[in-house]
Amino acid sequence: MDTCNVFDNKEMNIVIVGHVDHGKSTVIGRLLADTNSLPQGKLDQIKALCRRTDKPFEYAFLLDALKDERAQGITIDTARCFFKTEKRKYIIIDAPGHIEFLKNMITGASRAEAALLVIDAHEGIMENSRRHGYMLSMLGIRQVVVLVNKLDLVPAEDRQRVYEEIVAEYSAFLQNVEIIPQHFIPISAVEGYNIAAKSEELPWYDGITVLEALDAFKEIADGDDHAFRMWVQDVYKFTNSRDERRIIAGTVSAGRLHVGDEVMFLPSGKKTKVHSIEGFNEPEQTSVSTGKATGFCMTEQIYAKRGELCCKIGEQPPRTGSLVKTSIFWLGKEPLDTEKVYKIKIGSAAVGMRVEKILGVLNASTLENSEKQTVERHEVAQCLLHFERPLAFDLSGQCADTSRFVIVDDYEIAGGGIITDVEEDEELEKKLIRRNVKWIQSSMTPHERESYYRQQAQLIILTGNIQIDKKEIARKLEKKLLEHGKIAYYLGIGNVLYGVNSDIKSDDSMNSPEERNEHIRRLGEVANILLDAGNILIVTANELIPDELDTLRQIIRTDNIRTVWVGVDNRRAADFDFYYPVPSKSIADELAQKLFCI
Amino acid sequence: MMTHLDNLESKSIHILREAYNRFGNLCMLWSIGKDSTVLLALARKAFFGHVPFPLVHIDTHYKIPEMIEYRDRLAREWKLDMVYGENADALAQKKTFPDGNCTRIECCKNLKTEALRCTLSGEWPRYRMNHDTGLYERDENTEPYTGVILGIRADEEGSRSKERYFSPRDKNNDWDIGDQPPEFWGQYKTDFKPGTHIRIHPLLDWTELDVWEYIRRENVPVVPLYFNQGDGKRYRSLGCWPCTSPVESEATNIDEIIEELKTGKFANIAERSGREQDKEDGGGLEELRKDGYM
Ligand SMILES: Nc1nc2c(ncn2[C@@H]2O[C@H](COP(=O)(O)OP(=O)(O)OP(=O)(O)O)[C@@H](O)[C@H]2O)c(=O)[nH]1
Ligand SMILES: [Mg+2]
């Protein structure tokens, strides 16, 4: 009989947590042994190893595979083990209980949909019994079963009382962290009470076994009915292999996406439509659902980049902003530093971040709050964080993938958290979203306009060292294009500064960062209109840096943009499409040749 | 509705794309075995028919000859950027187990671990396939690879069950198993000090059965050595021939292999049971892997 057909549904990831030495690894080892889930000979191999090294046999050694773990009788790092019942496949994640390895516990628990929490009846509820309970709540794991272990060590007549005391006390704690356990089960991992089969030793208990509790966990709904969210993980164009598709790649975090859907990228606010859903070695798809690693092509080639959040027009939009209220847990070896610039990563977005204010620090075990202004390793805190650039995200409780972040210190992930609130701000992104939504459409599509003019609108940005004359190159290029029947226009930034920008133009405008940004924004808006009109537009400005080019790309709706740097600056060679260290008379001709074959 | 295999596939693709985005000098190790070939198939899906990084094969010269032939055929068919490296000195001086000059573990260290370390770092020559001639030529590029994708699975053995998806290796290629970085919410360790590199493991959550079911679903070509060719034997795991023995099996095709793994005679036998180097002592593989073995 093929018993595995039922396995066509999803596997389930279960984590086992609790205080050090309370018997987590032993529970799993015993479960594997009692259900005949071990590879042949494995148990004997461990028994032989224990004899050879003169150690008492431990079921935990089935999981604690590292030499150091066996030597110290402790789990150091999370182990995955594969297990199946009649009902489904499981990956069981055995987490360490020692406080030193909290980062490893979180690594394991973050992958789980449900948790077993082990408490040693003999020792009682300990610091990490509580801390792990709190972490489960923070990690969003709501399905929890509590195992009261080592009842073999308690005299038979006291067992029920000891068990019930733990149930009462621990339920109260879990309630404070918003977890209602599905079951409490009295067990002995070493003796096998209530693991895979009901035990006669605990006659006063008439609930389910650990094995039954696993099968009773519910699969979490797939999220297809949420608003669509997908982080842009990358944008592919494999031109070298003669593939002209430009594919926005990512994994669907929530909702569904269909061909023809109108989508927006945030925070940039750019809009387009889904032209096709791309795949390889699979039947053509017209829609994709939550969890799928996918990619799509757009009808209008806009500039979208990694770190943007793609959502659907007409659905609940994500939030954007740079000042957010968060709950974080800290794993860094050094305390959280309010002076330091960290990096925050949320989905595929990564940006510099500063801690604006520590609002409160919580001891995750005692649940005591304090006003102190430092967050030490393993503490939990409410903080106000300030991102260097606005990002798009959701608030916690809506979509896990878009509301959770990690904090990176130098090279290491040093903490994690969830966004609970945001101070909305009026940034470029907001302006652009509004502009795009309010944009008055012509009856002519960009595509039709292209066929009238027999050219594609294109922006050529000529920049470079201040001493170098770029205007002359631009004029020559404009002339050459016009002579060849193109519709071209040269716009120097000066033409905008004293006109459109006259309200903010000061003597030293281009050297003050704030004013410079606004000048560039306006240049971008003017260019956007000229490009929408179908022109080939040549723009000159001094010493534009990559961030400023990004701003222009963000504002301008076509992605048909070429950048040219003139003058010696080796760093620029990689940032620009064309790099001419030495100005020469032939640059305009070369550009005309390379860009337009004329 | 996403199936179990769809889920595994999407998670692995996500990891591959993340690796491709974060690492400038990325490569994928291709041992020609079923796992790394599944990884290759996943890469073609992730990148819509392309494999935008080199495939590196560590040639121990003790691989079964069909494997090398199959490697080069697929490399030509799929236009793969194929690179190989080897421990030329150890081979010339016969510092190998089959030559009777060292133990199995030492042999693995020489022909695999060392060869891998020095090929990745670029200290030793790399040979790259020239698709015009179909021949290998000395690779001009000696830049170290900073991201290395491998097809290991957590169900293979103990130390692999503790791996991260993105697992750092220090300057000497060593793995600090006692202090691995945290990894959660799909955020991986992609920032690293110069001189170190990151191993990327997209297949950690796959089992042997998953791999075969995926091979069937996706028509992934595998070496015929996995099937019984009429002598009642097949390879379940492919390594060097002196250290890998075939298992007794009548399975001549993928369906039969899957049946064998699900309910048949291998349902409860570890895959690497045919690998001798795993047996030499308790933590043999852990020690090898700490030093950089895959
Ligand atoms: N008497 C008795 N001992 C137990 C029981 N369960 C576990 N132990 C013992 O408790 C010790 C610790 O067990 P482990 O399973 O390693 O504990 P753990 O929770 O995995 O520990 P860490 O992973 O290090 O946090 C071992 O010596 C076990 O044999 C039990 O039900 N009864
Ligand atoms: Mg343990």
Side-chain angles (χ1 to χ4, degrees):
Chain A
M1 190 191 67
D2 187 349
T3 51
C4 290
N5 286 336
V6 289
F7 297 144
D8 281 344
N9 51 6
K10 286 179 194 171
E11 76 288 351
M12 187 177 262
N13 290 273
I14 310 267
V15 69
I16 183 158
V17 299
H19 197 74
V20 64
D21 265 354
H22 280 197
K24 299 174 289 295
S25 304
T26 310
V27 169
I28 304 295
R30 183 82 210 205
L31 185 70
L32 296 175
D34 288 3
T35 52
N36 269 326
S37 306
L38 293 168
Q40 218 176 61
K42 180 86 189 184
L43 208 55
D44 291 334
Q45 192 193 328
I46 303 276
K47 283 184 178 152
L49 180 86
C50 290
R51 265 197 310 277
R52 225 178 28 242
T53 50
D54 216 15
K55 283 201 201 102
F57 167 76
E58 288 280 0
Y59 282 103
F61 287 175
L62 289 163
L63 283 303
D64 294 338
L66 304 181
K67 276 187 175 165
D68 278 350
E69 293 182 320
R70 289 179 183 168
Q72 299 176 35
I74 189 174
T75 304
I76 293 173
D77 214 326
T78 295
R80 289 170 174 79
C81 101
F82 297 81
F83 174 70
K84 62 188 173 198
T85 65
E86 296 270 301
K87 182 162 179 195
R88 63 182 157 222
K89 290 183 180 177
Y90 293 94
I91 297 182
I92 301 196
I93 301 160
D94 181 30
H98 196 288
I99 182 70
E100 190 59 26
F101 308 127
L102 186 70
K103 67 177 166 54
N104 298 341
M105 176 271 177
I106 289 172
T107 298
S110 67
R111 294 199 291 263
E113 289 126 89
L116 300 174
L117 198 146
V118 180
I119 297 175
D120 177 343
H122 194 60
E123 198 174 45
I125 299 164
M126 300 293 287
E127 189 185 342
N128 277 339
S129 314
R130 287 189 290 258
R131 183 178 276 111
H132 283 190
Y134 183 92
M135 288 314 305
L136 291 180
S137 165
M138 180 124 183
L139 293 168
I141 301 171
R142 289 289 182 271
Q143 301 195 73
V144 177
V145 165
V146 182
L147 309 179
V148 180
N149 188 30
K150 301 199 192 181
L151 278 166
D152 59 300
L153 295 181
V154 179
E157 63 277 15
D158 295 336
R159 287 176 184 167
Q160 187 173 4
R161 182 184 49 79
V162 169
Y163 168 75
E164 281 167 1
E165 280 168 12
I166 290 177
V167 170
E169 185 184 341
Y170 199 64
S171 301
F173 173 84
L174 284 184
Q175 202 164 13
N176 286 328
V177 300
E178 288 167 29
I179 289 179
I180 300 164
Q182 301 182 334
H183 306 278
F184 280 83
I185 308 178
I187 62 164
S188 162
V190 160
E191 300 298 332
Y193 305 165
N194 293 338
I195 303 287
K198 200 68 165 286
S199 165
E200 300 297 310
E201 299 289 329
L202 309 167
W204 41 268
Y205 173 76
D206 62 358
I208 61 177
T209 63
V210 175
L211 185 61
E212 288 163 341
L214 288 182
D215 280 346
F217 283 129
K218 298 216 168 45
E219 270 169 38
I220 291 169
D222 52 18
D224 272 10
D225 45 359
H226 284 86
F228 173 75
R229 298 284 186 268
M230 183 178 105
W231 291 104
V232 177
Q233 194 177 7
D234 218 329
V235 181
Y236 298 133
K237 192 163 178 187
F238 297 105
T239 325
N240 286 346
S241 321
R242 291 190 206 84
D243 184 345
E244 292 303 323
R245 288 175 299 175
R246 190 152 170 280
I247 304 174
I248 306 284
T251 302
V252 180
S253 293
R256 285 187 78 87
L257 184 70
H258 303 258
V259 170
D261 279 345
E262 223 185 333
V263 292
M264 184 183 270
F265 296 91
L266 290 168
S268 77
K270 297 211 171 173
K271 278 198 311 188
T272 186
K273 261 192 192 154
V274 178
H275 173 263
S276 56
I277 287 172
E278 298 296 324
F280 177 76
N281 200 24
E282 63 188 18
E284 201 176 303
Q285 314 274 332
T286 53
S287 78
V288 281
S289 56
T290 308
K292 173 89 173 161
T294 186
F296 63 86
C297 291
M298 307 176 284
T299 51
E300 198 184 335
Q301 294 309 316
I302 55 164
Y303 174 73
K305 60 172 194 278
R306 179 177 162 95
E308 292 205 89
L309 186 55
C310 182
C311 62
K312 256 167 38 178
I313 306 243
E315 289 186 338
Q316 173 80 29
R319 314 293 283 262
T320 54
S322 52
L323 194 59
V324 294
K325 209 170 138 189
T326 61
S327 289
I328 67 158
F329 50 85
W330 189 244
L331 303 170
K333 295 196 172 98
E334 306 289 322
L336 182 69
D337 184 348
T338 50
E339 300 295 308
K340 196 163 173 174
V341 178
Y342 294 98
K343 184 162 78 181
I344 193 158
K345 294 213 266 184
I346 168 163
S348 58
V351 60
M353 176 278 285
R354 232 178 241 287
V355 180
E356 188 86 7
K357 192 161 190 247
I358 295 170
L359 304 168
V361 179
L362 180 82
N363 180 318
S365 173
T366 59
L367 301 186
E368 274 162 23
N369 247 310
S370 79
E371 303 269 289
K372 66 185 187 120
Q373 281 303 299
T374 54
V375 186
E376 316 267 345
R377 191 170 190 211
H378 301 149
E379 281 181 331
V380 171
Q382 308 252 298
C383 297
L384 205 56
L385 305 183
H386 196 172
F387 306 155
E388 278 178 353
R389 276 188 291 111
L391 294 179
F393 45 80
D394 286 297
L395 299 187
S396 116
Q398 289 167 358
C399 168
D401 275 358
T402 53
S403 58
R404 297 165 164 181
F405 58 84
V406 300
I407 300 170
V408 179
D409 183 10
D410 272 346
Y411 302 111
E412 311 296 334
I413 291 181
I418 50 184
I419 302 180
T420 54
D421 207 355
V422 54
E423 306 254 328
E424 306 268 348
D425 42 15
E426 178 70 0
E427 304 274 355
L428 175 61
E429 289 66 30
K430 282 272 149 51
K431 290 191 179 125
L432 290 176
I433 294 167
R434 206 167 43 224
R435 180 198 74 184
N436 293 351
V437 170
K438 299 272 180 197
W439 190 265
I440 299 165
Q441 301 284 354
S442 146
S443 64
M444 204 59 56
T445 65
H447 204 71
E448 285 169 319
R449 211 183 297 274
E450 279 169 15
S451 57
Y452 277 110
Y453 289 173
R454 274 185 240 112
Q455 69 176 33
Q456 265 192 332
Q458 177 163 8
L459 174 63
I460 298 152
I461 301 174
L462 257 171
T463 186
N465 299 354
I466 193 155
Q467 315 84 327
I468 285 169
D469 184 11
K470 290 146 304 253
K471 299 188 184 86
E472 208 34 54
I473 302 172
R475 287 187 196 108
K476 230 176 129 182
L477 180 59
E478 179 193 31
K479 182 153 183 271
K480 180 144 193 182
L481 289 172
L482 287 167
E483 282 167 3
H484 281 80
K486 306 274 180 199
I487 301 154
Y489 184 73
Y490 162 46
L491 173 73
I493 192 168
N495 299 4
V496 182
L497 290 183
Y498 298 93
V500 175
N501 299 11
S502 59
D503 57 329
I504 55 161
K505 174 77 180 100
S506 64
D507 283 348
D508 203 25
S509 264
M510 289 309 275
N511 291 325
S512 119
E514 302 251 297
E515 285 176 41
R516 187 175 164 105
N517 278 345
E518 182 58 15
H519 286 308
I520 285 170
R521 186 188 77 78
R522 293 186 188 190
L523 175 67
E525 287 293 355
V526 172
N528 185 49
I529 292 175
L530 288 164
L531 288 161
D532 193 51
N535 290 291
I536 294 168
L537 181 67
I538 305 153
V539 162
T540 53
N542 282 328
E543 316 213 327
L544 291 175
I545 57 169
D547 269 354
E548 293 169 337
L549 291 179
D550 265 351
T551 306
L552 288 172
R553 287 200 182 97
Q554 203 178 329
I555 295 170
I556 290 160
R557 282 160 81 167
T558 171
D559 75 336
N560 201 3
I561 299 177
R562 292 310 167 99
T563 56
V564 186
W565 179 278
V566 192
V568 181
D569 187 342
N570 287 328
R571 283 167 309 166
R572 301 293 164 236
D575 295 331
F576 286 79
D577 298 324
F578 299 98
Y579 171 63
Y580 295 102
V582 194
S584 83
K585 288 200 164 38
S586 60
I587 292 179
D589 288 332
E590 273 178 47
L591 286 172
Q593 166 62 33
K594 283 191 180 139
L595 292 171
F596 303 98
C597 302
I598 54 176
Chain B
M1 173 72 190
M2 302 261 291
T3 64
H4 174 62
L5 282 184
D6 291 339
N7 255 342
L8 287 172
E9 175 187 71
S10 278
K11 282 187 186 152
S12 302
I13 289 179
H14 187 85
I15 291 170
L16 285 169
R17 288 178 176 168
E18 205 58 17
Y20 178 55
N21 184 279
R22 302 320 296 157
F23 295 90
N25 268 314
L26 181 68
C27 71
M28 182 188 275
L29 286 194
W30 188 24
S31 72
I32 329 295
K34 61 183 188 318
D35 301 315
S36 52
T37 307
V38 159
L39 204 50
L40 176 56
L42 284 164
R44 295 178 85 216
K45 273 208 156 174
F47 307 106
F48 304 96
H50 310 278
V51 183
F53 36 73
L55 292 173
V56 174
H57 177 67
I58 299 303
D59 195 346
T60 61
H61 294 255
Y62 285 103
K63 296 276 164 179
I64 304 163
E66 278 112 303
M67 292 171 70
I68 303 296
E69 202 182 290
Y70 158 93
R71 173 191 82 188
D72 290 347
R73 184 168 56 75
L74 223 54
R76 280 191 295 269
E77 240 168 64
W78 287 356
K79 302 252 176 315
L80 305 174
D81 184 5
M82 190 67 224
V83 171
Y84 79 84
E86 63 193 3
N87 188 343
D89 279 352
L91 286 164
Q93 295 165 25
K94 299 197 181 304
K95 284 195 281 191
T96 73
F97 170 75
D99 285 311
N101 297 328
C102 59
T103 64
R104 292 183 202 272
I105 296 269
E106 283 161 358
C107 184
C108 269
K109 272 201 180 119
N110 292 342
L111 298 189
K112 293 191 187 166
T113 314
E114 272 297 283
L116 178 63
R117 184 171 67 78
C118 299
T119 303
L120 294 180
S121 68
E123 287 161 62
W124 289 357
R126 298 170 181 158
Y127 301 90
R128 172 174 243 125
M129 183 183 265
N130 175 339
H131 279 277
D132 293 332
T133 60
L135 301 175
Y136 285 88
E137 290 165 6
R138 174 106 181 225
D139 191 3
E140 309 268 291
N141 176 2
T142 56
E143 288 264 311
Y145 292 114
T146 50
V148 182
I149 306 170
L150 289 93
I152 62 161
R153 307 190 323 263
D155 75 333
E156 290 181 279
E157 50 81 40
S159 72
R160 287 187 177 95
S161 79
K162 307 246 165 193
E163 270 285 7
R164 297 287 190 264
Y165 299 112
F166 284 65
S167 178
R169 295 293 186 273
D170 71 8
K171 279 201 166 65
N172 304 318
N173 236 13
D174 290 347
W175 180 33
D176 187 354
I177 193 168
D179 189 17
Q180 300 200 75
E183 178 174 80
F184 49 93
W185 296 341
Q187 299 291 357
Y188 310 109
K189 182 168 167 72
T190 52
D191 303 275
F192 55 97
K193 281 201 194 92
T196 64
H197 78 265
I198 307 274
R199 298 264 173 105
I200 299 138
H201 303 132
L203 290 188
L204 274 189
D205 293 338
W206 295 56
T207 63
E208 186 187 7
L209 180 60
D210 296 328
V211 165
W212 279 111
E213 290 186 327
Y214 193 74
I215 288 172
R216 173 167 69 183
R217 188 181 95 172
E218 301 287 317
N219 280 317
V220 180
V222 289
V223 214
L225 295 164
Y226 283 112
F227 306 112
N228 163 26
Q229 313 281 343
D231 57 356
K233 288 193 172 86
R234 70 175 193 87
Y235 285 90
R236 203 173 156 194
S237 158
L238 285 178
C240 299
W241 59 259
C243 292
T244 319
S245 21
V247 292
E248 307 268 321
S249 159
E250 296 299 326
T252 56
N253 59 43
I254 300 179
D255 286 333
E256 287 170 19
I257 289 182
I258 289 174
E259 206 43 46
E260 204 174 57
L261 290 172
K262 267 184 172 172
T263 48
K265 55 189 282 198
F266 291 140
N268 275 322
I269 296 181
E271 174 189 346
R272 290 180 66 95
S273 57
R275 296 273 194 134
E276 296 297 334
Q277 71 270 38
D278 293 21
K279 294 179 188 161
E280 282 201 350
D281 84 300
L285 209 55
E286 176 184 340
E287 292 306 313
L288 268 176
R289 299 200 62 245
K290 277 186 184 164
D291 289 340
Y293 182 81
M294 28 289 194

